[in-house]
Amino acid sequence: MTGVDLWLIDADQPPEVVARLWRTLDAEERARAERADTGRRSRFTVVRGAVRELVAARLGTRPAELVWRHGQHGKPEPAGAGGLRVNWSTAEPLAVLALAEGRAVGVDVEPLRDARRAERMAARWFPFEEARFVAEPAEPAERAARFTTLWCRREACVKAYGGRLVQALGVSVAGPSPLLLADPGPLGAGPVGLCDVPVPGPYRAAVATVGGCPGQVNTLVWSAY
């Protein structure tokens, strides 16, 4: 089974790039962008436009011609894409796009959380063993890193299935990466594979694929030029 292409997207781009990508968006995307303030509007436009460029290149079509269909809980996939599956995540100004052939994929990127808030959230939402794992280190930075890593894995798993976060709160995603979950609980039939992915800056990211581990993750950088 093929691996996953993971594209890193810098959402901070000059006005001429934003203007070019704006022309590729559909009416719904433009309406969402226009509801945001100026800075967020530009970043939203860049991420959506870059996603369109990269997906269109794989499908041999034009970015503006892509049509998105949405799952039960809003997960977008390109219509008429054959076996190509798509998911993306944003932690401004960094965004990540995952492309996989023949199997559902989910990706998440998050900024490192404040350690005290992370510990409280883990105690409230994570299974007991995960909450204890987050609370163990003496160093706040390590507690924040552990929490954010587990949060990214959980979100990626949810997004692979197109489900809701509440469905995965009781599912343990702890363990060394890559990780294969035979039973992802109420999300759907397993197995699902999880893999931590290194990304630049104070962020953590993870990829999930339904049916097995992601395999090789090819990290690539999108260029606006």
Side-chain angles (χ1 to χ4, degrees):
M1 192 171 286
T2 59
V4 175
D5 286 345
L6 186 78
W7 287 91
L8 307 181
I9 300 166
D10 180 359
D12 285 338
Q13 297 292 331
E16 63 269 21
V17 173
V18 177
R20 172 173 64 80
L21 295 173
W22 174 266
R23 294 191 290 271
T24 71
L25 305 188
D26 62 24
E28 188 272 338
E29 290 167 328
R30 291 183 183 184
R32 285 187 61 183
E34 287 172 342
R35 290 195 292 269
D37 60 53
T38 302
R40 289 184 177 272
R41 184 183 310 143
S42 294
R43 287 177 168 177
F44 178 90
T45 299
V46 170
V47 172
R48 288 302 183 97
V51 167
R52 282 180 168 271
E53 285 193 345
L54 293 166
V55 174
R58 284 283 289 265
L59 297 177
T61 188
R62 295 180 180 178
E65 294 175 352
L66 283 179
V67 175
W68 300 107
R69 55 181 173 83
H70 298 270
Q72 180 181 2
H73 300 295
K75 181 183 180 181
E77 296 279 3
L84 182 66
R85 307 300 295 272
V86 172
N87 194 236
W88 66 88
S89 177
T90 303
E92 295 183 350
L94 175 66
V96 293
L97 166 69
L99 304 176
E101 292 285 350
R103 51 185 175 160
V105 65
V107 66
D108 190 56
V109 61
E110 301 282 344
L112 285 168
R113 302 296 177 90
D114 172 78
R116 283 186 288 186
R117 183 166 181 260
E119 200 170 343
R120 290 197 301 269
M121 290 179 68
R124 180 176 183 182
W125 299 114
F126 286 2
F128 174 76
E129 290 298 326
E130 287 188 12
R132 187 169 66 178
F133 174 73
V134 170
E136 277 176 351
E139 290 295 324
E142 180 59 22
R143 295 199 299 274
R146 289 187 177 192
F147 172 84
T148 309
T149 295
L150 293 175
W151 189 271
C152 283
R153 291 180 182 185
R154 186 165 274 107
E155 286 273 20
C157 190
V158 168
K159 294 173 75 177
Y161 283 94
R164 300 169 61 199
L165 181 59
V166 67
Q167 295 174 290
L169 290 177
V171 178
S172 177
V173 294
S177 171
L179 178 70
L180 188 67
L181 304 182
D183 181 13
L187 284 170
V192 59
L194 291 161
C195 180
D196 300 332
V197 182
V199 292
Y203 302 99
R204 293 292 184 273
V207 170
T209 47
V210 177
C213 283
Q216 182 176 346
V217 177
N218 307 305
T219 302
L220 307 156
V221 179
W222 171 77
S223 173
Y225 299 98

